[in-house]
Amino acid sequence: MIARSSRLPTIALSKRYRLLNTAPARKRRRSNTSSRVAHPPAGIVHYRDTRTETAHETLLLGSIRFSGTPPHVSSSGRRYASSIAAVTTINATKTIPSRCKELYEHLGALKHHCTSYVDLSQLELALRGLESEDAVIRVAVLSVSGHAGARNLVRALLADPLAPRAAWEDYLDEGEQSDGRGLLIRYGEEVQYDWRHPLLRTLVVPSIKLHQYKLELLLPSSLPRLNKTDDRISAQELLVPALETPTSASGRFSMVSYPVHKVLLYGESVPGLIYVSKLLESSKLTETHPSAIKGFINIPGYNAPLDPSLENRLSMIDVDQGLTAISEFRSSIEHATEYEHGWLGSHLSSANDFLTAGTSVPSLQDASSLPPSTRNSSIKPALKTLISILLQTTTSSIDSEETRAVTTASTNRIPPLTLSDLQAQITTWAEDAHSELRDSLDSAFSSVAWNRLKWWKLVWRVDDVGFILGDVLERKWLVDAEKGLIWVAGRMGQIGLSPLRPEVESAATTWESTLEQTSLASMNPINTGSHATPLPAATAAMPRTSIPKPSNLTTPSEHEHKFGTYPPEPRLIDLLPTSDLPRPSSNPPVYPQSISLARTALSTTTIPSLQALAQQLLAQSLGTIATTSTLSALLYIGVSTTSLYEAGTIAALGIVWSARRLQSKWETARESWAVEIREEGRLVLKEVEEQLRDCVSDVDSGVGGGVGQGEGIGEQEDEAMQERKKARAAVSKVQVALDDMTV
């Protein structure tokens, strides 16, 4: 019997390590292996520090790898379910058994084609099992009635009645630790305990059962809970328990998945029986893969037979009776008969059978007692069951995603009746807009304000030209049509359509890019434009620069300028102050801006020119009148024979000619402006109507344009559909390779 007091205290271990890790000690260990640390005392031996080892362990937990402490490796080279790699190893070559290579390759392809649908941690566990000739089977012992009963069950299953009580049994008998971490039990030739890993503690025990059947037992600190809404739990939550790890000093925890091959559910008394039954019923694993999960209820003294339909799902056990039988046999071999009766009466043999089932490759003689799906397997049935469950859950995820996509597409599809109604609303809006353009402008051009701009009133109304013309555009030019357009755009947005073209939506980024790409050479009036100044023949014949460009000088890239190279051409944006650059609004418009933009363009381009023309014509007329009047006065004063009427004829001729010229030119310009804004209004309405109809027609024909419709049949949905097809093909290849695995 090993006493608990023989364990090394933590402080003594640290002091001992510092003494052994000094430079002289390391030199002595390298020169003479006999001078190494002496054998540790009996009891639980703590791991040596990783810096004094030649190997370290990597625990594969989901997609995260945590560097832990080195477990014990037997002389037979046995690998745990968690990998062991040398410190100096970089991408070590994996030796895959020849019979498992095809399955391993197809299973590894799921990482690339089924990333969104497969559980990566469970996939890594399956791949790790195929990498070994004798894969380790990991079993999770999930307790719904506290951890003390589950520890006693594990102790009863792993204890050797022929050996005295071991130190690891004392540790399991101590009860729950205060840090809340899980416990991983694995085989080793000597008892070792590691508490430093942030996720779980590791206990290495020399159990014959763990060694013979290549088992690892996981006792998580937390249990998956039933969903509060539908009182259900998925099989994935049971087969991939979560380990808690602290993420900050505030006490918060994050969950890291740690997959297993099988699950043993443990409960006590009637409440445990009810909860375990709910877990088994909701997970559906007992129906599809009964060898992967089973419940065991600890009810002391229960000997009534179970319903035959429940034997594959539940078993009644008496853990205390089994531990008592082991203790009696250890005290004296004379109690062998009592041990046999006590062990058989505890029904722990059923838990032992579940624990060891599927942990070895079946032979031809033993294949008849196994399920048909695992009789001809050249890999362990437990590993094959894990791969089958993995493929089943992956296929279910693909089906669920496809169902969701189809439902979303059908839900967001715009009904044809709604599109027809929208086309009718666009037609009504276009008719009303054209009628408004005609009637409003007729009213504006017959109003008192417009009559104030007649040619003979320009003398005192010339400064009001811009105000009156702007008032016509603001109050009479498609005002109600723009409001109706906003209403139609709102109706389109209500059903998921965007009335804007893509180039209009992205116009906010066009202005700055245009300035960045515009060089001053392209804006030089000497080189471009209708006002280009012709160069002299001699100058035109000269090259652009008189400085010869050496061959060793290169043109720098956009973001690289080296000494001795030509500088880049100046851009317009480099010469303009950034604060003075006009930028479009950051908020994108929600309806077509053609009407408002056309109104702004007419106001900024036509009104100033018409205002200038009015002032120019009035100045020319007044100048002509003044000139002819002065000439008449000089003629009347200078020539004595000229009468007043004769001299006034010249002045009258100038007045009549200038007035006629002012009348003809101004009225022509005024009428031309009226025709221009009518035509511009008609063109703008036609453009907006075509834009709205194109948007609705594209959705009706399935091209795109709407939010729901674009997602249903657009490029994104096509890519998702192709991804699901590739995922299904990858799953099918794995299934075929799994079915082809024979003895």
Side-chain angles (χ1 to χ4, degrees):
M1 186 71 65
I2 300 174
R4 301 183 189 178
S5 60
S6 62
R7 301 179 185 177
L8 290 176
T10 305
I11 299 178
L13 259 182
S14 302
K15 183 176 180 181
R16 182 183 180 188
Y17 166 73
R18 288 195 298 269
L19 293 175
L20 293 176
N21 202 40
T22 58
R26 291 196 300 269
K27 184 176 181 180
R28 288 195 301 271
R29 288 197 299 271
R30 286 194 300 267
S31 61
N32 188 4
T33 57
S34 62
S35 62
R36 296 196 177 198
V37 182
H39 293 289
I44 296 182
V45 179
H46 297 269
Y47 282 150
R48 296 183 295 273
D49 193 89
T50 55
R51 288 174 291 184
T52 64
E53 298 290 339
T54 59
H56 79 284
E57 176 188 13
T58 301
L59 287 179
L60 181 65
L61 303 176
S63 59
I64 308 176
R65 293 181 180 268
F66 297 88
S67 294
T69 53
H72 179 79
V73 183
S74 64
S75 58
S76 61
R78 175 179 177 271
R79 294 187 64 181
Y80 298 121
S82 304
S83 65
I84 301 175
V87 174
T88 57
T89 300
I90 300 177
N91 297 329
T93 304
K94 299 178 181 179
T95 303
I96 312 299
S98 57
R99 67 179 185 275
C100 302
K101 283 187 177 180
E102 182 181 1
L103 179 60
Y104 184 87
E105 293 175 358
H106 292 317
L107 199 60
L110 295 182
K111 290 182 181 180
H112 308 286
H113 301 297
C114 304
T115 306
S116 304
Y117 311 108
V118 69
D119 190 292
L120 295 179
S121 61
Q122 206 172 24
L123 177 61
E124 288 290 346
L125 180 63
L127 291 173
R128 192 58 51 83
L130 294 176
E131 293 173 3
S132 175
E133 290 284 352
D134 194 3
V136 175
I137 303 302
R138 186 184 299 158
V139 182
V141 181
L142 302 181
S143 175
V144 301
S145 304
H147 298 285
R151 288 168 175 261
N152 289 333
L153 174 61
V154 172
R155 184 162 63 91
L157 293 175
L158 300 183
D160 186 5
L162 299 177
R165 183 184 178 96
W168 63 268
E169 297 184 55
D170 296 335
Y171 171 76
L172 290 178
D173 199 22
E174 287 179 357
E176 180 67 17
Q177 299 293 323
S178 59
D179 56 5
R181 289 179 293 172
L183 176 65
L184 181 66
I185 303 175
R186 54 174 42 158
Y187 171 75
E189 294 181 358
E190 60 180 5
V191 180
Q192 296 178 351
Y193 173 65
D194 176 28
W195 72 96
R196 291 172 293 179
H197 200 279
L199 290 173
L200 77 166
R201 300 178 300 275
T202 303
L203 180 62
V204 181
V205 299
S207 172
I208 299 176
K209 188 171 299 181
L210 294 180
H211 176 63
Q212 180 181 358
Y213 296 101
K214 303 299 184 293
L215 287 172
E216 285 183 356
L217 299 184
L218 175 67
L219 282 74
S221 59
S222 60
L223 177 72
R225 299 296 179 183
L226 293 171
N227 196 335
K228 295 182 179 180
T229 57
D230 54 3
D231 202 27
R232 298 185 64 85
I233 191 173
S234 64
Q236 203 72 6
E237 294 180 69
L238 294 176
L239 288 172
V240 188
L243 302 179
E244 295 182 350
T245 175
T247 56
S248 64
S250 61
R252 296 181 179 180
F253 286 85
S254 62
M255 310 303 291
V256 180
S257 59
Y258 199 89
V260 297
H261 295 82
K262 299 194 298 183
V263 176
L264 188 152
L265 294 176
Y266 173 81
E268 296 178 353
S269 188
V270 177
L273 173 62
I274 296 175
Y275 198 84
V276 168
S277 300
K278 288 183 178 180
L279 291 176
L280 293 174
E281 180 66 26
S282 60
S283 65
K284 302 296 182 181
L285 272 177
T286 54
E287 300 177 2
T288 57
H289 301 86
S291 61
I293 189 171
K294 192 173 183 179
F296 295 90
I297 311 301
N298 184 19
I299 300 180
Y302 184 87
N303 292 318
L306 281 177
D307 189 341
S309 61
L310 299 177
E311 291 182 354
N312 293 331
R313 303 171 55 187
L314 289 171
S315 291
M316 301 300 171
I317 58 176
D318 190 346
V319 179
D320 294 336
Q321 184 178 354
L323 292 175
T324 303
I326 295 175
S327 299
E328 291 179 353
F329 186 77
R330 283 174 172 173
S331 62
S332 176
I333 196 174
E334 297 177 355
H335 298 154
T337 305
E338 290 81 357
Y339 165 74
E340 182 180 359
H341 290 292
W343 182 261
L344 293 178
S346 65
H347 302 287
L348 288 177
S349 58
S350 60
N352 182 73
D353 295 339
F354 173 77
L355 204 64
T356 59
T359 58
S360 59
V361 179
S363 60
L364 294 177
Q365 292 81 7
D366 301 332
S368 59
S369 61
L370 295 175
S373 60
T374 58
R375 288 180 184 176
N376 297 325
S377 176
S378 59
I379 59 176
K380 291 187 176 183
L383 180 57
K384 186 172 183 179
T385 301
L386 173 67
I387 298 176
S388 300
I389 295 175
L390 178 66
L391 296 180
Q392 180 181 350
T393 54
T394 304
T395 304
S396 300
S397 300
I398 297 174
D399 294 339
S400 301
E401 179 64 22
E402 188 168 2
T403 303
R404 186 203 62 81
V406 172
T407 303
T408 303
S410 60
T411 302
N412 294 335
R413 189 177 297 275
I414 303 175
L417 183 61
T418 304
L419 295 178
S420 301
D421 182 61
L422 195 58
Q423 290 280 17
Q425 293 175 2
I426 295 175
T427 302
T428 303
W429 170 83
E431 294 176 354
D432 295 341
H434 283 282
S435 300
E436 180 206 355
L437 179 65
R438 181 192 63 234
D439 298 339
S440 297
L441 291 183
D442 288 344
S443 174
F445 295 147
S446 61
S447 62
V448 177
W450 181 256
N451 291 330
R452 291 173 182 169
L453 297 182
K454 290 186 176 181
W455 67 272
W456 54 275
K457 295 182 180 180
L458 281 182
V459 179
W460 61 89
R461 293 290 185 183
V462 67
D463 293 332
D464 297 336
V465 172
F467 173 76
I468 295 176
L469 296 182
D471 186 72
V472 171
L473 291 177
E474 293 293 334
R475 297 177 180 272
K476 300 295 184 179
W477 196 78
L478 300 178
V479 177
D480 294 336
E482 188 173 9
K483 296 178 181 179
L485 176 61
I486 297 175
W487 184 84
V488 174
R491 287 285 296 155
M492 297 178 66
Q494 185 180 5
I495 62 177
L497 296 179
S498 175
L500 301 177
R501 292 193 178 100
E503 59 269 16
V504 177
E505 296 177 354
S506 60
T509 61
T510 306
W511 174 255
E512 185 173 354
S513 61
T514 302
L515 291 179
E516 292 179 352
Q517 298 173 3
T518 303
S519 62
L520 295 183
S522 61
M523 300 183 61
N524 193 344
I526 298 180
N527 301 327
T528 60
S530 58
H531 302 283
T533 303
L535 296 175
T539 306
M542 295 176 61
R544 291 181 55 89
T545 175
S546 58
I547 303 176
K549 184 176 181 180
S551 59
N552 58 348
L553 293 182
T554 58
T555 303
S557 60
E558 181 179 357
H559 303 286
E560 180 183 8
H561 305 293
K562 298 181 180 180
F563 180 76
T565 60
Y566 280 93
E569 293 185 358
R571 299 172 301 177
L572 181 60
I573 195 174
D574 298 331
L575 304 180
L576 295 177
T578 307
S579 58
D580 297 340
L581 291 178
R583 299 179 183 271
S585 175
S586 58
N587 299 324
V590 295
Y591 67 96
Q593 303 290 308
S594 301
I595 296 178
S596 59
L597 292 177
R599 183 185 296 111
T600 303
L602 290 174
S603 299
T604 55
T605 58
T606 61
I607 293 180
S609 61
L610 204 61
Q611 173 83 37
L613 179 63
Q615 295 174 350
Q616 180 182 2
L617 291 177
L618 182 61
Q620 291 175 355
S621 299
L622 294 179
T624 302
I625 293 175
T627 301
T628 54
S629 299
T630 303
L631 182 60
S632 298
L634 292 176
L635 183 62
Y636 178 74
I637 296 173
V639 180
S640 58
T641 58
T642 304
S643 63
L644 180 61
Y645 295 101
E646 292 176 348
T649 303
I650 299 176
L653 180 61
I655 294 174
V656 172
W657 183 83
S658 60
R660 178 59 182 171
R661 181 176 179 272
L662 174 63
Q663 178 185 11
S664 61
K665 287 185 174 293
W666 174 247
E667 292 298 333
T668 301
R670 198 166 64 124
E671 294 297 330
S672 299
W673 186 81
V675 173
E676 181 180 0
I677 63 172
R678 285 182 186 271
E679 184 64 19
E680 286 295 330
R682 187 186 66 81
L683 294 177
V684 168
L685 292 178
K686 182 180 179 181
E687 177 187 355
V688 174
E689 181 182 3
E690 290 178 353
Q691 180 177 345
L692 298 178
R693 292 192 184 278
D694 290 343
C695 178
V696 178
S697 300
D698 290 344
V699 174
D700 195 11
S701 60
V703 176
V707 176
Q709 196 78 3
E711 289 182 356
I713 54 179
E715 294 181 358
Q716 296 181 356
E717 186 62 25
D718 291 340
E719 293 178 359
M721 187 180 301
Q722 294 297 327
E723 180 183 353
R724 290 193 295 269
K725 288 182 179 180
K726 293 180 180 179
R728 288 187 185 277
V731 172
S732 300
K733 291 180 180 179
V734 176
Q735 187 64 53
V736 172
L738 185 64
D739 295 338
D740 292 342
M741 295 291 291
T742 56
V743 178

